[in-house]
Amino acid sequence: MSKIVSRNVNRRDFLKLGGIGIAAAIVPTLISQQSKASSPLAGKNLAMVIDLHRCVGCGSCSIVCKNENNVDGDVFWSSRISKTTGRFPNVRFEYITTLCNHCEKAPCVRACPTKAMHKGDGGITKHDPDKCIGCRYCIAACPYGVIHFNAGKSHEFWRDDKPLIEGATPSAREVTQAVNGKVIPYYNPARELDKPGTGLRKRGIVEKCTFCDHRVSKGQLPYCVEACPTNARIFGDLNDPNSEVSRILGKFHGMRLKEELGTEPKVLYVRTYSTGTHPKTKGSV
Amino acid sequence: MTENKTFNSRFIVWMVILLAGLGLGIWGVVTTFLSGLQTWGIGDEVPWGIVTASYVFFVAASAGCITVSLGHALGIKGFDLIIKRGVFLAIITMIAGGLLIVMHVGNPVNLWRLITAPNFGSPLGWLVIFYLLYLILLIIDFYLIHKKDFVKARIFGILAPLSAITVHSTLGSVFGFASVRHYYGGAFAPVYFIVIAVVIGTALLLFVTNLHYKFNSKSMSSEMRSVIVSLGKFLGIAIGVLAIFVIWKNLTGLSNPDPSTVKAYQYMLAGPGAWWYWILAIGLGLLAPLILIINRNTRTPNGIMLASGLSIIGMLAARFDFTIGGQVIPIFEDLQHIQQPWADYAATFTEVSIVVLAFSLTALLYTWGSRKLALEEVAEHV
Ligand code: SF4
Ligand code: SF4
């Protein structure tokens, strides 16, 4: 769509046709469409395949996400469903690592009254901290429990004066001061480069996984994908038939969480977590 | 509240209570602004708590008061006696509701975006627009009645109730739209909300009108008495209709194929929420007032005042149940960073103080209005 507009219609045509008033409304749209076309992610349909058979349930994805995105201690952009099921002695441990599904038909985007939650290039569900009013309707609407509301200031821990061991260790605040005091000790400034406010999310607004848009737009993989020791998280463009994700989904059925809701998640799971096999018998009556 | 505008001792006690409530509420507002919503009991599992529930209550009260006043525009006998008070109550409850919603959001500095760049795909986006439109209609309606321009007031007497129904059913859709939270009832929510509004609004109008006469030790004219009694009967019918809704909501909820929905209903009917649900929401909100209204001996202005008072308390509790019921069961079973098998939500003192502020503000505005705006004036039919 954006290509057609930029080829056939220029700004002057619009001014002639529609008058200044109408053009004033349309021009910004055109400009944004043109800039969209130049975005490295435009036209892509980004997705993550999680191979549960490769996953060992180590939780690295959840931890490294915190480093990369400055996510606070009790907040999880990347989380997991884990449970022990069955009946002794036939029990099984299940582990499904989760994140924002970047739903094609995202209920959070539909719910958000200010368009703070929106679909960005590559199909990423993004959040604009400058538009968010903190109404938490997105949390009520998201079927996957992946949005976090910052009720207080983030990283309160690093403002604490109490040392872990009296007389032996420094307090968290002292550690923070040692690294110039403005930000948390493990702060990653890269998170913030594209848009101020996305590095340390302020009080009163929500936050969630961004598919590491700050990395992906530079041609890097999301950090959880990069850090997964077993290559269980695989990332790519579904519009490209040669991408790894497309190939895998050609071979295996991609299971999506709460598929019946029609949210069309872009996080797809293949195979199962269990590493067990079973003997080649037909069973018995 | 006194008609003779004297500062008798009763009035002084009343004002002291209200100002104390106002003071407490202002403390709550300041605490919330200084320390953020971490001073509240809400979190990722239960993002909407008692303030949101009270917001629904106040909007319902407003929409209900004005819907009942449709009786005046339709020329029903006796409604001319209560319409002015009804419209005024609708305005001040809407103002209190506005205060609650501003407090509800975590980042109110961005609220202007709701007007300049709303998302028309979101029911919450629509709600704000309908809300403002409704408030404007209400104020014009009241102004015309106050200026005794009953011909024009009649038009607004129809427009305002229509927009009230729009506002409150849109608010219902805000909940219904969160379709994974089956407790909110999906498409059923907007209709359910209209019935609730009628009950709360009628109860509030009856309670305040009765209280007004009691407080000022005035006796009611026989005409006024008969309006109160017939409006009381209407309240009984509305509660009866609501009771049918409640029964079916619970029965269909308990037989929902989704196990987490069944758990939410079990939580309310037989779990940790049960005493609150049965005693306050059902007992005080529905059963007690119904008995008082059905019984001929208690179907008097006094009995109706008691019935409407109990119903108001019960309905407020029920809003809380409703709001919490949709959130208490985790949206995803076994998701490790959220509480299982249900979320703990307890309103904090700060949250409650903000609800107290909304009630104190409504009562204060009413007191001012009843002294300055001649609310007992008859709005003639034309
Ligand atoms: S998983 Fe939730 S937050 Fe992510 S896009 Fe879907 S609805 Fe939105
Ligand atoms: S909390 Fe922010 S992002 Fe979520 S719905 Fe409200 S305004 Fe939108």
Side-chain angles (χ1 to χ4, degrees), chain A residues 25-208:
Chain A
I26 293 170
V27 167
T29 322
L30 267 180
I31 292 170
S32 77
Q33 276 174 345
Q34 276 164 355
S35 69
K36 235 185 204 173
S38 61
S39 152
L41 301 180
K44 286 195 176 20
N45 185 10
L46 298 171
M48 187 183 290
V49 169
I50 299 181
D51 185 343
L52 292 173
H53 197 63
R54 283 186 184 167
C55 174
V56 291
C58 66
S60 297
C61 41
S62 300
I63 303 300
V64 298
C65 172
K66 287 173 181 291
N67 285 359
E68 178 64 25
N69 295 300
N70 308 319
V71 180
D72 208 346
D74 54 351
V75 184
F76 288 88
W77 284 12
S78 172
S79 183
R80 77 273 182 219
I81 300 163
S82 64
K83 55 184 167 188
T84 306
T85 52
R87 203 173 189 182
F88 184 80
N90 300 315
V91 286
R92 179 176 77 243
F93 178 62
E94 284 177 48
Y95 190 101
I96 301 175
T97 148
T98 60
L99 63 156
C100 166
N101 288 290
H102 298 276
C103 309
E104 178 73 46
K105 304 215 169 82
C108 61
V109 171
R110 176 136 251 252
C112 178
T114 60
K115 302 185 201 144
M117 208 56 102
H118 62 282
K119 292 303 279 182
D121 290 337
I124 298 177
T125 304
K126 293 173 78 157
H127 178 253
D128 186 341
D130 296 336
K131 291 184 181 165
C132 182
I133 58 169
C135 66
R136 313 184 284 289
Y137 193 23
C138 49
I139 302 184
C142 168
Y144 303 100
V146 300
I147 307 175
H148 167 72
F149 174 66
N150 287 306
K153 278 191 195 145
S154 56
H155 296 278
E156 208 54 81
F157 168 79
W158 294 105
R159 296 185 187 91
D160 195 359
D161 275 323
K162 230 176 109 230
L164 197 61
I165 305 167
E166 204 70 55
T169 62
S171 71
R173 184 190 286 278
E174 282 168 313
V175 177
T176 314
Q177 276 160 358
V179 288
N180 89 21
K182 278 205 205 94
V183 287
I184 57 164
Y186 303 118
Y187 180 71
N188 172 21
R191 172 70 265 176
E192 186 133 24
L193 286 185
D194 300 336
K195 187 168 175 66
T198 51
L200 282 184
R201 278 70 55 188
K202 63 174 186 175
R203 194 182 89 181
I205 60 167
V206 300
E207 60 175 66
K208 65 160 199 70

Side-chain angles (χ1 to χ4, degrees), chain A residues 76 79-83 98 107 109-115 129-137 139-149 151-153 156 202-205 257-258 261, chain B residues 32-38 40 42 44 47-48 52 104-111 113-114 117-119 121-125 173-175 177-178 180-181 331-338:
Chain A
F76 288 88
S79 183
R80 77 273 182 219
I81 300 163
S82 64
K83 55 184 167 188
T98 60
V109 171
R110 176 136 251 252
C112 178
T114 60
K115 302 185 201 144
D130 296 336
K131 291 184 181 165
C132 182
I133 58 169
C135 66
R136 313 184 284 289
Y137 193 23
I139 302 184
C142 168
Y144 303 100
V146 300
I147 307 175
H148 167 72
F149 174 66
K153 278 191 195 145
E156 208 54 81
K202 63 174 186 175
R203 194 182 89 181
I205 60 167
L257 294 175
K258 299 193 182 178
L261 296 177
Chain B
T32 304
F33 280 136
L34 289 182
S35 307
L37 297 193
Q38 60 186 334
W40 293 16
I42 56 139
D44 292 351
W48 293 351
T52 322
H104 157 94
V105 301
N107 193 25
V109 288
N110 275 353
L111 273 175
R113 289 193 167 271
L114 287 173
N119 174 10
S122 164
L124 206 50
S173 80
V174 168
F175 286 88
F177 179 85
V180 276
R181 300 177 188 272
I331 195 105
F332 221 127
E333 215 175 315
D334 298 311
L335 187 57
Q336 290 301 308
H337 71 276
I338 58 179

